Amino acid sequence: MAHSAQADIRDVLAQLAVPSNGMLLAVGRHVVPLSNLDKPLWPGRRRAGITKRDLLRYVTRVSPWLLPHLEARPVFVTRFPDGIAGGAFYQKVWEERPRFVKTVAIWSRERGAPRDYLTVANLATLLWLAQQAALELHVWFSRTSPRPDGRRLGTDYADSEAALDASRLNYPDFIVVDLDSYHYAGTERGGAEPELNPVGFARVREIAFEVRRVAEALGLTPFVKTSGRTGLHCYLPIVRRYTFAEVRGMAEVIGQFLMALRPDDITLEWSVRARTGRVFFDFNQNVRGKSLAAAYSPRRHPYATVSMPLTWSELAHAYPTDYTLDTAPELLAERGDPWAGILHAKEDPAAAYDALAAVEAE
């Protein structure tokens, strides 16, 4: 980490330690107005709850690891103005923003015109979003940066649908698998999604190791993180030679192969009722404009969990509530970021994918 970034982090944390409910926070050469710092966003975990001040401290402390996973990627957020016990809404575009907040213009099929999507390039932007009670950061799987494998791809994201199709933003860095358990805790209200429970998470963890086995057989290097809620996210880094449509097809074939091996444990069914008692292998996230919670993003869970990248050995004993706004910064300081090299682990899946598709078709 650069000396100037370290100095900014120390300075921001010192300012946030001042017992004031509002301030003009200096972040390097930028200023972020803050208010309602003692407002609980995750009530009940402490006497005063986990407050906006705590969120601001968290994003500051983890920024050296969080920011690289957001770099050059369109981001949208889930805002909780009254904390997780209140209402929430998604926000993709911002009519008003400080000058230090960067955006990228992207063609919108619905509008027939481009829209400015948020990107997060610096600590000041993270803090500005936290002030807006943007608890969850959702990030695209494609990005505008040329490094290390995007120089041949287009850079026109705004002029037309055809231009966007030919651009870097239509070529993802990963095959993404979202694993969710449909083993119910028994405490859910009628029609509700399953709540986090040890049996359900153990099944998700088991299937994640199966995804790892298949990915490695395909010559890919799999990475895993908790969703911060009930499931796991598996990312398989690939070279940017395949469109989202092609990558979605790859993910579907992997899912079909695993479901054929373990039909009682895995489902690709879209119907929630048909998923009961199984782990849902969601390949449908592999679409341009869709997103998952970013690595190290806070989540709306009552324990103030975060979406935590793990080593595969850590996963063997992990549980989502182990990784929170309180615990994640210390763990990162101790062992660093298991995903630090994810963009340097890219492989071309073409030959192995064709072989897998042939086996699955037999």
Side-chain angles (χ1 to χ4, degrees):
M1 190 190 338
H3 177 74
S4 59
Q6 292 177 323
D8 285 347
I9 289 171
R10 288 194 298 269
D11 186 50
V12 167
L13 292 174
Q15 293 175 75
L16 290 172
V18 176
S20 170
N21 201 33
M23 66 178 71
L24 294 176
L25 181 70
V27 189
R29 55 191 176 86
H30 307 303
V31 175
V32 182
L34 302 180
S35 60
N36 299 317
L37 289 174
D38 298 322
K39 185 174 188 176
L41 297 178
W42 288 268
R45 294 308 304 158
R46 306 176 188 149
R47 179 179 296 179
I50 295 178
T51 64
K52 183 189 289 185
R53 188 191 308 272
D54 296 319
L55 174 62
L56 289 156
R57 285 172 172 156
Y58 171 78
V59 298
T60 301
R61 294 176 68 191
V62 304
S63 59
W65 301 282
L66 170 57
L67 284 170
H69 296 298
L70 304 178
E71 182 183 0
R73 299 185 188 276
V75 171
F76 73 93
V77 302
T78 314
R79 294 177 61 186
F80 295 78
D82 296 311
I84 66 166
F89 60 95
Y90 295 109
Q91 187 155 355
K92 293 186 178 182
V93 295
W94 304 73
E95 299 301 328
E96 297 182 6
R97 58 187 181 273
R99 289 186 177 180
F100 57 75
V101 175
K102 307 302 182 183
T103 60
V104 57
I106 302 175
W107 179 263
S108 169
R109 181 185 302 169
E110 293 76 15
R111 289 181 50 144
R115 304 188 75 177
D116 288 337
Y117 282 74
L118 190 73
T119 59
V120 179
N122 49 49
L123 174 57
T125 302
L126 281 177
L127 292 163
W128 174 73
L129 287 171
Q131 162 61 24
Q132 314 298 318
L135 306 192
E136 297 186 339
L137 306 171
H138 303 265
V139 64
W140 282 31
F141 310 123
S142 56
R143 62 200 158 90
T144 59
S145 171
R147 302 186 308 272
D149 55 355
R151 288 179 174 83
R152 67 181 182 83
L153 299 173
T155 58
D156 181 355
Y157 315 113
D159 281 352
S160 67
E161 186 78 13
L164 181 56
D165 287 344
S167 77
R168 292 171 186 160
L169 287 180
N170 197 40
Y171 289 78
D173 289 298
F174 320 104
I175 302 171
V176 175
V177 177
D178 183 7
L179 299 175
D180 283 308
S181 170
Y182 279 79
H183 293 78
Y184 288 81
T187 55
E188 297 87 355
R189 295 181 179 179
E193 291 282 297
E195 294 177 358
L196 179 63
N197 65 85
V199 172
F201 189 73
R203 299 291 177 82
V204 170
R205 181 167 48 209
E206 182 181 348
I207 301 308
F209 279 108
E210 292 283 8
V211 173
R212 178 195 187 190
R213 182 173 66 83
V214 172
E216 289 178 341
L218 292 172
L220 302 178
T221 303
F223 291 74
V224 67
K225 67 182 176 74
T226 65
S227 70
R229 301 187 71 185
T230 63
L232 291 168
H233 299 155
C234 298
Y235 282 46
L236 316 181
I238 57 171
V239 292
R240 284 189 281 181
R241 294 178 185 168
Y242 306 96
T243 66
F244 270 101
E246 291 168 326
V247 170
R248 183 179 181 275
M250 295 178 188
E252 183 175 10
V253 168
I254 293 172
Q256 290 170 340
F257 178 77
L258 283 169
M259 189 173 67
L261 289 177
R262 302 188 59 165
D264 294 333
D265 301 318
I266 299 173
T267 181
L268 276 64
E269 289 287 347
W270 196 245
S271 165
V272 172
R273 181 175 297 178
R275 300 175 191 170
T276 301
R278 293 176 171 85
V279 171
F280 177 47
F281 184 106
D282 187 358
F283 62 88
N284 294 292
Q285 299 293 343
N286 296 278
V287 173
R288 187 177 71 216
K290 285 198 173 186
S291 61
L292 292 172
Y296 307 113
S297 170
R299 300 309 306 271
R300 68 188 76 181
H301 191 277
Y303 277 69
T305 54
V306 304
S307 185
M308 190 72 183
L310 301 172
T311 65
W312 286 98
S313 59
E314 286 173 331
L315 177 61
H317 308 287
Y319 198 67
T321 53
D322 295 337
Y323 311 106
T324 68
L325 267 70
D326 290 328
T327 64
E330 285 80 5
L331 180 57
L332 274 166
E334 288 173 8
R335 59 94 154 113
D337 179 11
W339 281 28
I342 194 168
L343 292 180
H344 299 288
K346 290 164 166 276
E347 300 290 348
D348 190 332
Y353 164 73
D354 290 342
L356 181 63
V359 170
E360 196 275 331
E362 291 178 356

